Amino acid sequence: MFRLSIACAFLITIGLALSGSLQAIAQDNQPPQTQVHLHWGQRRGVVRYRMQLAADTDFRDIIFDRVITGTQIELDDLAAGKYFWRIAPLTTRLGEFSSAGVIVIPVAQPQESQMF
């Protein structure tokens, strides 16, 4: 079974990084760039995976559905909100999808300006 769990050595690394400081963002009046790095454990004999990102746990509102070579992907420019992702091994046929992982992109809080 292809599940997201530590017990079956399925590794997830999610990193959120906001580029630039809030002060620089407030001055430039541009939203922060959000980067999400997803990584999963490699399956024996599998080089390609099918990855889906959705706005709901049932994957009815799929944002993208891609074939990924390797065991990681960088996602850029996701709007604030909650997302769900899953992968399936892709060889000569599509394997079973993993259980859903969750990505939460927080709303950036503007920095309060100080008056002197």
Side-chain angles (χ1 to χ4, degrees), residues 47-64:
V47 177
R48 297 181 322 145
Y49 299 84
R50 181 176 175 188
M51 189 215 168
Q52 292 182 332
L53 181 73
D56 64 306
T57 58
D58 296 324
F59 287 82
R60 291 188 185 133
D61 185 11
I62 294 177
I63 296 167
F64 71 76

Side-chain angles (χ1 to χ4, degrees), residues 38-92:
L38 301 175
H39 178 80
W40 52 92
Q42 185 171 359
R43 301 273 298 191
R44 180 179 286 174
V46 178
V47 177
R48 297 181 322 145
Y49 299 84
R50 181 176 175 188
M51 189 215 168
Q52 292 182 332
L53 181 73
D56 64 306
T57 58
D58 296 324
F59 287 82
R60 291 188 185 133
D61 185 11
I62 294 177
I63 296 167
F64 71 76
D65 187 347
R66 296 184 185 164
V67 173
I68 307 296
T69 300
T71 59
Q72 61 185 340
I73 185 172
E74 288 276 334
L75 303 175
D76 295 327
D77 299 330
L78 290 177
K82 189 173 187 176
Y83 301 92
F84 301 89
W85 68 283
R86 65 186 183 177
I87 62 165
L90 185 59
T91 54
T92 55

Side-chain angles (χ1 to χ4, degrees), residues 11-12 17 23 27 39 44 60-61 75 79 89 94 99-101 106 113:
L11 202 34
I12 304 171
Q23 182 178 13
Q27 288 174 356
H39 178 80
R44 180 179 286 174
R60 291 188 185 133
D61 185 11
L75 303 175
L94 181 63
S99 56
S113 59

Side-chain angles (χ1 to χ4, degrees), residues 1-12 40-41 98-101:
M1 200 162 216
F2 195 64
R3 297 274 176 206
L4 295 175
S5 72
I6 295 174
C8 67
F10 199 80
L11 202 34
I12 304 171
W40 52 92
S98 66
S99 56

